[in-house]
Amino acid sequence: MTLHLDDDELVSCVACGLCLPHCPTYRVTGEESASPRGRIAAMRAVQWSGAPLEGDFTRFMDLCVQCRACEAVCPSSVPFGHLMEGARETLASDTRYQPGWRRAGYRVLGRHRLLLTASTALAVGQRLRLVPRRFGLPRLALRRRPLVATGNDVWLFTGCVMDAWMRETHAAVMRVLAAAGAGVALPGPGAACCGALHEHAGLVEDAQRLARRVIGAFPGEAPVLVDSAGCGAALKGYGRLLGTPDAAEFSRRVMDVHEWLAARVDALPVPARRFPQLVAVQDPCHLRHVQKAHAHVRTVLGRYADLVELDDEGLCCGAGGAYAALHPDMAADIRARKVAAIARTGAVVVASANPGCAMHLAVAGLDVRHPLEIVDEVIRDGR
Amino acid sequence: MPDALVADLRAALAPERVLAEPLELTLYARDAGIIEGHAHVVCFPLTTGEVQACVRIARAHGRPFTPRGSGTGLAGGAVPVEDPVVIVTTKMDRILEVDEEDRVAWVEPGVLNLDLTHSVAHLGLHYAPDPSSQQSCTVGGNVATNSGGPHCLLYGVTSAHVLAIEVVLADGSVALLGGVDAEPAGYDLRGAFVGSEGTMGIATRIAVRLTPTPPAVRTLLLDFLSVEGAAATVTGIIAAGIVPAALEMMDAEITRAVEDFVHAGFPRDAAAVLLVEVDGLPAGVEAAAQVVADVGRVHGARSTRVAADEAERALLWKGRKSAFGAIARIAPNYYLHDAVVPRTRLVEVLSRVYEIAARHRLVMMNVFHAGDGNLHPLIVFDRRENGVMERVTAAGEEIITACVEAGGVLSGEHGIGLEKRDYMPLIFGEADLDAQARLRHAFDPDGVANPTKVLPAGSRCGDLQRVPEGAWI
Ligand SMILES: Cc1cc2nc3c(=O)[nH]c(=O)nc-3n(C[C@H](O)[C@H](O)[C@H](O)COP(=O)(O)OP(=O)(O)OC[C@H]3O[C@@H](n4cnc5c(N)ncnc54)[C@H](O)[C@@H]3O)c2cc1C
Ligand code: SF4
Ligand code: SF4
């Protein structure tokens, strides 16, 4: 039995344990099997000592949120995200790790028309009180106003769930970009889904297929801006996922929208008055640990609002793409720590640059907004 | 198919807090060192009562037990030997009480060292012992290994900060050692327990002293073109009458590895750097920092950088504290010693250590608490290379012998555990070992608490062995 992982990557963990407190599942359980070090040891047991894939090993891998905090803090630079994706790829191909119903669920994300129709059905269901609150969905719109392109200085990646459920956020982001003087181009239907969830689930071929479609939807040289941290991290990883020069070139054009704005913050209007409430900044893992672009949120948002930092060193909130739906109990336990950290700041409004985190935290009753929604509100109030 | 021992533990705790599946046990085979053992079963008690139950059930089934915190130990102390019941404290992680006025905190053993400091920071207090692993290691593990850390030069090691310990003894009974009053009556059994590495029982509640955070602090990074210059500066600073809060040295290789991780601006071409911190009242700190810089200049410091703010200071310390982890950038395994040598012989010992490594064709790096002469010579290697373990073992033994010959001791802070156990006869005579074995016997007459650790086999009958038997499983 092998996991088909790179031995040099697997051997690079020295078991120092410095990653332990940064791992959300270890924080909740205190157990090695739910820690980065333990997961690596389990991978070694399979790859080097023939431990079985099914059973405990699958369970340990599946409980990982893939937040990659461990990777950011590891002094040995163990490429944990890559190891975990590799392990899940083997699980998905060699075991029943991703049963048919889950695969079907992921595939809907790439079929945008179907997703929009399903989302409208869900919205109707919510009005009829047929959708339980614990599903953690935001209140979905019955009608989505279409977005209208304003130019071609930059592209805006629209994505799947984000576009279906939170199109108003895209609209706000476009208004802020316009205020900074940038005309925004919108992609065609090819940019329907970034494939991050597929990649995390080990469905690598699906992810690669989606990646090729996305790349095709953004011709030219203009920067590709992303307002969802998880999608942005995925797009920036296409070079590695596809391993082609074209993909690498595309990934170089990708920027988180705050990253792009931070370099042009002086072009943004000076606020007539600042946002009236203190804002706690929650860093999405894929912005902080993967893209390392979290400082830019502060540069942009700090121009319009008074910010307060959390004291949890960027510990994950438990949303993790599809994680909160697949592991609701663990996700809620992880979230409880985040909610406590937010409470310690005394702020009532929370800014999060990732829709998944925003939805997950909103279920706990918090007022969570995209940073650029706050910026947009201040700019519009000042007019 | 769970055996009777596992079934009894599950009945006493809760099924999900007792692990016995093969893959689960594999994950508890080692700590942050390189020796591997095998656990019979792993359990996670939540209370003192549950710890007692674990110990009693283990005994009833004729099994020893091994306490474990975060498993960041470097000497194999938490490695399960003789198929023990591993008792993990990580779920006992509550801070029970903080007495701001008396500056005392009662904590459960699984509280992480840095979490404790963070939780009292708003009171202007901190927990002073700061091992480089402080973000991850438990207070219980610190007590059991009598941990030190960079700032222990001024503030003292763990034993100076532990007032009282509630202990589950090897027979399952509970005892309170020490007390929060100034001079508890009787023998200082608390002092005996600190550093006992799980061989005298399990700490279940700990009262620690909290230290006021100094109002001013200056952190300096001095950069040298020779190890000798750096070492002479260390002695010079102390000779000038200054006891810095911390005085750390990193050699060329480790400085590069660390810089590649933190990007803090450590000079990649230096032969050695010193990280020095002085703290106290603002005026005194200014003066002391000046003396440090002057002494450095006299001994050839190429540059002296003073951290401008807390962020820069934090980054420099992050570099120092990630050193052991960062070495995997060079090779995936490390083996380190923890000897303490007289400060005045640092230079001489260091050059011998480099010479030994070179002779065995091994990569050697040094990062250490220079202020108290606590060396951490690290051999980095790739275990997959044929025959490398023999060379590592041989070099390790020569290094420790060199340190002892220079008047040093085996362990400054990491403990003896399994790894350094068989070197004990290098510094202790038969009578000393026998006395230690008797003390241990008084706590644990049947030898069930973390067996085979610390004292070499035969410590009580003079039958000493030097070969680290079974040390490279
Ligand atoms: C990167 C790195 C840097 C380090 N830097 C330092 C340093 O600067 N200074 C230093 O001193 N150490 C250092 N260490 C070593 C280690 O972190 C310390 O020894 C630490 O105190 C171990 O704590 P732990 O919770 O991980 O204990 P473990 O490794 O789990 O256990 C250590 C020993 O304590 C026993 N034990 C654990 N909990 C209890 C308990 N509640 N009751 C009784 N016995 C118990 C175990 O049986 C074992 O013998 C470092 C380690 C690493 C990996
Ligand atoms: S993943 Fe990195 S930080 Fe974690 S134990 Fe391994 S080497 Fe240390
Ligand atoms: S990716 Fe996140 S959840 Fe997974 S092991 Fe690393 S820190 Fe833990």
Side-chain angles (χ1 to χ4, degrees):
Chain A
M1 193 65 64
T2 171
L3 266 180
H4 309 293
L5 298 177
D6 178 344
D7 275 334
D8 286 330
E9 285 186 11
L10 202 52
V11 84
S12 64
C13 167
V14 294
C16 67
L18 292 182
C19 52
L20 298 176
H22 302 277
C23 172
T25 53
Y26 181 78
R27 273 290 185 177
V28 168
T29 63
E31 296 179 26
E32 285 287 333
S33 70
S35 80
R37 177 173 73 176
R39 288 178 175 123
I40 292 168
M43 292 177 198
R44 290 174 174 177
V46 172
Q47 174 130 330
W48 296 342
S49 313
L53 283 172
E54 311 259 6
D56 283 334
F57 180 74
T58 304
R59 197 159 54 80
F60 299 166
M61 297 305 117
D62 198 45
L63 200 63
C64 169
V65 196
Q66 291 176 293
C67 67
R68 288 167 67 179
C70 50
E71 191 173 314
V73 300
C74 171
S76 299
S77 295
V78 173
F80 187 88
H82 193 241
L83 286 169
M84 178 55 73
E85 279 157 19
R88 290 194 181 193
E89 184 179 359
T90 303
L91 286 177
S93 65
D94 295 5
T95 74
R96 293 193 35 78
Y97 174 52
Q98 295 296 353
W101 64 269
R102 275 210 208 173
R103 286 174 199 253
Y106 287 120
R107 292 216 168 106
V108 173
L109 300 177
R111 300 187 55 193
H112 205 55
R113 291 265 284 282
L114 183 59
L115 181 65
L116 293 180
T117 313
S119 301
T120 308
L122 262 175
V124 173
Q126 283 180 329
R127 302 306 184 278
L128 300 176
R129 299 184 196 286
L130 292 175
V131 184
R133 248 182 75 82
R134 68 185 159 79
F135 279 17
L137 298 182
R139 190 176 162 89
L140 301 177
L142 281 172
R143 261 185 291 277
R144 284 167 292 267
R145 277 184 298 168
L147 299 169
V148 183
T150 55
N152 48 23
D153 298 318
V154 294
W155 291 99
L156 180 65
F157 176 79
T158 42
C160 55
V161 175
M162 182 90 183
D163 187 53
W165 297 0
M166 306 178 101
R167 195 177 279 172
E168 286 311 309
T169 305
H170 285 326
V173 169
M174 289 181 72
R175 283 190 294 272
V176 175
L177 286 168
V184 181
L186 294 168
C193 176
C194 68
L197 298 189
H198 309 73
E199 196 181 356
H200 295 166
L203 304 173
V204 175
E205 278 173 26
D206 289 345
Q208 288 172 331
R209 194 172 41 78
L210 290 167
R212 279 189 286 268
R213 267 175 51 187
V214 168
I215 294 173
F218 295 95
E221 309 274 297
V224 178
L225 305 188
V226 189
D227 56 10
S228 147
C231 306
L235 265 58
K236 285 184 176 178
Y238 283 176
R240 180 163 196 173
L241 178 67
L242 295 176
T244 63
D246 278 0
E249 183 49 43
F250 173 80
S251 286
R252 270 193 289 278
R253 286 165 57 206
V254 178
M255 287 177 114
D256 182 78
V257 63
H258 304 92
E259 194 177 356
W260 191 85
L261 281 170
R264 296 156 183 82
V265 71
D266 294 333
L268 283 168
V270 179
R273 54 180 175 277
R274 296 172 73 75
F275 189 70
Q277 283 156 307
L278 188 62
V279 178
V281 187
Q282 182 265 345
D283 289 327
C285 294
H286 284 226
L287 196 64
R288 178 164 170 152
H289 308 314
V290 184
Q291 298 191 53
K292 302 190 167 55
H294 54 300
H296 304 304
V297 171
R298 290 154 179 78
T299 309
V300 177
L301 186 56
R303 191 174 167 93
Y304 297 93
D306 295 326
L307 310 181
V308 56
E309 298 289 340
L310 307 188
D311 60 7
D312 64 358
E313 295 180 275
L315 193 68
C316 175
C317 73
Y323 190 86
L326 298 171
H327 298 282
D329 294 341
M330 179 59 80
D333 284 350
I334 296 173
R335 181 177 57 207
R337 288 175 172 267
K338 182 63 76 182
V339 171
I342 292 169
R344 284 195 293 275
T345 66
V348 268
V349 176
V350 184
S352 173
N354 192 50
C357 306
M359 278 193 280
H360 184 56
L361 291 172
V363 176
L366 297 172
D367 179 358
V368 196
R369 311 190 198 170
H370 193 279
L372 295 189
E373 286 179 331
I374 296 172
V375 172
D376 176 52
E377 188 181 316
V378 177
I379 294 178
R380 289 208 286 174
D381 274 2
R383 286 215 185 100
Chain B
M1 137 221 57
D3 58 20
L5 167 57
V6 174
D8 284 355
L9 286 167
R10 290 203 165 130
L13 273 59
E16 69 278 9
R17 285 191 280 113
V18 178
L19 311 179
E21 293 298 322
L23 190 62
E24 291 171 329
L25 299 181
T26 307
L27 310 186
Y28 289 87
R30 62 182 285 203
D31 55 12
I34 52 178
I35 309 174
E36 289 185 15
H38 182 265
H40 186 84
V41 56
V42 176
C43 43
F44 297 85
L46 298 179
T47 61
T48 303
E50 287 192 351
V51 173
Q52 288 180 279
C54 294
V55 169
R56 290 196 171 128
I57 292 168
R59 288 189 70 111
H61 290 267
R63 289 258 159 227
F65 63 88
T66 293
R68 179 182 169 106
S70 299
T72 67
L74 291 164
V79 171
V81 182
E82 298 188 352
D83 257 12
V85 173
V86 174
I87 301 175
V88 189
T89 62
T90 53
K91 290 187 199 271
M92 297 175 73
D93 64 349
R94 288 176 306 159
I95 295 170
L96 300 168
E97 193 187 312
V98 175
D99 184 335
E100 193 183 341
E101 217 136 89
D102 287 341
R103 296 185 190 141
V104 173
W106 275 99
V107 302
E108 290 185 330
V111 168
L112 304 186
N113 175 308
L114 191 59
D115 283 357
L116 174 57
T117 279
H118 281 162
S119 76
V120 295
H122 65 285
L123 304 173
L125 298 172
H126 71 292
Y127 178 57
D130 64 335
S132 302
S133 53
Q134 72 183 129
Q135 54 179 301
S136 302
C137 59
T138 64
V139 175
N142 294 166
V143 168
T145 55
N146 194 13
S147 283
H151 290 80
C152 292
L153 180 58
L154 179 61
Y155 293 100
V157 295
T158 300
S159 60
H161 302 268
V162 173
L163 299 168
I165 317 168
E166 178 192 83
V167 182
V168 170
L169 297 168
D171 64 357
S173 63
V174 178
L176 185 68
L177 311 179
V180 290
D181 311 329
E183 268 307 322
Y187 286 120
D188 182 11
L189 294 176
R190 171 211 64 89
F193 188 89
V194 175
S196 64
E197 302 187 44
T199 63
M200 293 183 181
I202 303 182
T204 46
R205 284 196 311 142
I206 303 154
V208 296
R209 190 193 304 284
L210 301 172
T211 305
T213 306
V217 45
R218 274 273 176 292
T219 308
L220 297 90
L221 181 72
L222 291 83
D223 149 24
F224 296 86
L225 289 173
S226 76
V227 175
E228 289 74 17
T233 303
V234 171
T235 354
I237 291 171
I238 309 275
I242 292 192
V243 183
L247 180 38
E248 301 282 305
M249 180 161 153
M250 299 197 287
D251 74 2
E253 292 251 25
I254 203 90
T255 303
R256 274 197 294 275
V258 158
E259 174 59 15
D260 288 346
F261 170 54
V262 289
H263 306 294
F266 285 105
R268 299 185 86 264
D269 60 343
V273 300
L274 288 181
L275 191 58
V276 190
E277 193 157 281
V278 286
D279 67 16
L281 296 170
V285 164
E286 264 338 304
Q290 194 53 52
V291 174
V292 170
D294 291 346
V295 174
R297 201 169 316 111
V298 169
H299 294 288
R302 187 165 53 161
S303 71
T304 300
R305 168 172 157 199
V306 182
D309 52 24
E310 187 50 37
E312 189 177 348
R313 170 176 180 247
L315 197 60
L316 291 174
W317 276 114
K318 183 176 174 191
R320 163 59 187 92
K321 294 194 170 184
S322 342
F324 293 158
I327 56 96
R329 292 163 180 280
I330 294 148
N333 302 102
Y334 59 74
Y335 176 59
L336 83 157
H337 277 287
D338 173 34
V340 183
V341 299
R343 228 171 3 240
T344 45
R345 302 189 64 177
L346 265 181
V347 174
E348 165 202 340
V349 174
L350 274 176
S351 58
R352 275 193 74 183
V353 161
Y354 284 117
E355 180 272 318
I356 292 167
R359 196 154 28 76
H360 289 278
R361 287 171 291 119
L362 291 166
V363 180
M364 154 71 62
M365 310 183 177
N366 273 289
V367 46
F368 55 95
H369 311 310
D372 39 23
N374 187 182
L375 297 183
H376 292 325
L378 273 153
I379 300 172
V380 290
F381 60 99
D382 187 337
R383 188 184 237 157
R384 296 171 295 178
E385 190 187 314
N386 233 331
V388 74
M389 282 319 300
E390 286 74 21
R391 284 187 281 137
V392 171
T393 318
E397 193 153 344
E398 284 181 40
I399 289 169
I400 196 70
T401 310
C403 293
V404 171
E405 278 171 11
V409 297
L410 285 181
S411 168
E413 52 181 24
H414 299 162
I416 301 299
L418 212 46
E419 218 173 75
K420 313 284 185 291
R421 177 192 67 190
D422 294 311
Y423 297 125
M424 287 286 273
L426 284 180
I427 51 166
F428 292 114
E430 266 179 50
D432 298 326
L433 285 173
D434 184 57
Q436 295 186 46
R438 281 170 195 276
L439 175 62
R440 178 174 181 168
H441 184 81
F443 274 88
D444 176 21
D446 305 316
V448 295
N450 213 6
T452 74
K453 308 295 168 61
V454 185
L455 295 178
S459 287
R460 285 202 71 189
C461 55
D463 165 28
L464 302 178
Q465 49 181 73
R466 287 267 313 271
V467 196
E469 184 203 11
W472 312 104
I473 303 166

